[in-house]
Every structure is written in structure tokens, then in C-alpha cells.
């Protein structure tokens, strides 16, 4: 990304900005195949214009971070996120979902030699905490007010 900018590419404001996102932090709660689970979840997220930002598979399990309004401005973004949650729950895929909306930094993070594109801010952090609450209380979805 930095090399692209050095050679006359887009301005930094086009690759880093504050956006109002609806973030979904989705945890896998079923004991099945994570690849099959991911494919099912991704098809529902894609249908609801909620692209995946990050896949996490670590000692805490398999998680997806996705966000509505990420690459394009979407009218009724909250409604799209809730529709995606409803479809995930109705399909009984084995998900614990945290949903939060808020101003979010979208752009390059890190240093010159090691950087990546990411989202960060109060909304994504809140969505992660709400997903943890959903896991602890055995709830399918917890939504920020």
C-alpha cells in the first residue's frame, strides 16, 4: 500500500478514513467443520452486503469480523446487519454474534515494514465484547443499543 502511494497512487485519505460501520463479531459455537461453517456464514453475509474483514482461528476458537458500510455506503445498514443475524440464527449454524454500530477507523495500521488494512474503534471492540457476552450467556445474538 505504501509503495502504491509513493508511485503516484491514491491519496492516504482514500485508504484511511473514519466511517460509520455496523460491525458483526461472529463466534463459531458448533463443533463441526470450520470450513463448512465459514462457507455457510459467508454466503449469508454476502447476501446482506456485509463483507468479512478478518478471520480468526486461535486458542479462543474460530471468529469472523464483518461490517456493513465497509466498502460502500449502504442505506439502512442496521437493518441489513439485523437481517444477516436473523438468517444466521434461523439456519442454526452455531453462532454467537455481537453487533455494534459506531464511528470506526478503516485503513492501514502498523509500521512501514509491517502493515495491514484493518478496522478499529469503539464499535468493533463493543461487538467483540457483546459476542463474548453471548457466549457466556448462551445467547445467539447480543445487539448494542
Amino acid at each position: 500500500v505504501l509503495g502504491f502511494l509513493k508511485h503516484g497512487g491514491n491519496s492516504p485519505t482514500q485508504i484511511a478514513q473514519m466511517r460509520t460501520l455496523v460491525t458483526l463479531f461472529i463466534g463459531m459455537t458448533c463443533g463441526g467443520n470450520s470450513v463448512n461453517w465459514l462457507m455457510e456464514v459467508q454466503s449469508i453475509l454476502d447476501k446482506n452486503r456485509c463483507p468479512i474483514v478478518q478471520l480468526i482461528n486461535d486458542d479462543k476458537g474460530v471468529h469472523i469480523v464483518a461490517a456493513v458500510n465497509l466498502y460502500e455506503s449502504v442505506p439502512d445498514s442496521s437493518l441489513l446487519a439485523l437481517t444477516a443475524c436473523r438468517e444466521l440464527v434461523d439456519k442454526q449454524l452455531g453462532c454467537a454474534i455481537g453487533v455494534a454500530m459506531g464511528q470506526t477507523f478503516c485503513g492501514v495500521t502498523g509500521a512501514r515494514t509491517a502493515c495491514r488494512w484493518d478496522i478499529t474503534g469503539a464499535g468493533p471492540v463493543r461487538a467483540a465484547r457483546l459476542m463474548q457476552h453471548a457466549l457466556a450467556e448462551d445467547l445467539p445474538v447480543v445487539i448494542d443499543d
Side-chain angles (χ1 to χ4, degrees):
V1 171
L2 294 174
F4 178 71
L5 291 174
K6 284 182 188 177
H7 293 91
N10 296 330
S11 72
T13 59
Q14 292 175 316
I15 61 167
Q17 56 184 269
M18 296 298 289
R19 297 190 67 136
T20 301
L21 301 182
V22 182
T23 305
L24 282 72
F25 204 103
I26 306 167
M28 179 178 168
T29 60
C30 63
N33 183 320
S34 59
V35 173
N36 292 338
W37 178 82
L38 172 62
M39 289 173 57
E40 290 283 335
V41 171
Q42 184 176 9
S43 70
I44 291 170
L45 294 175
D46 286 349
K47 187 171 97 176
N48 289 285
R49 298 164 69 182
C50 185
I52 293 174
V53 178
Q54 190 174 29
L55 299 171
I56 305 163
N57 186 0
D58 60 16
D59 61 329
K60 296 175 189 159
V62 178
H63 300 90
I64 294 173
V65 181
V68 179
N69 259 0
L70 187 59
Y71 301 122
E72 63 180 329
S73 183
V74 178
D76 299 325
S77 57
S78 297
L79 183 59
L80 272 176
L82 294 176
T83 301
C85 290
R86 168 55 52 202
E87 290 181 25
L88 290 167
V89 170
D90 287 348
K91 276 212 162 195
Q92 299 179 355
L93 296 175
C95 298
I97 309 166
V99 182
M101 182 175 191
Q103 282 291 100
T104 304
F105 172 82
C106 306
V108 178
T109 60
R112 174 173 242 140
T113 57
C115 63
R116 66 182 176 145
W117 193 91
D118 203 358
I119 65 171
T120 189
V125 170
R126 214 169 32 252
R129 290 181 179 159
L130 292 172
M131 187 276 308
Q132 291 172 334
H133 179 72
L135 282 172
E137 299 297 322
D138 197 29
L139 300 169
V141 182
V142 178
I143 302 167
D144 190 23
D145 54 0

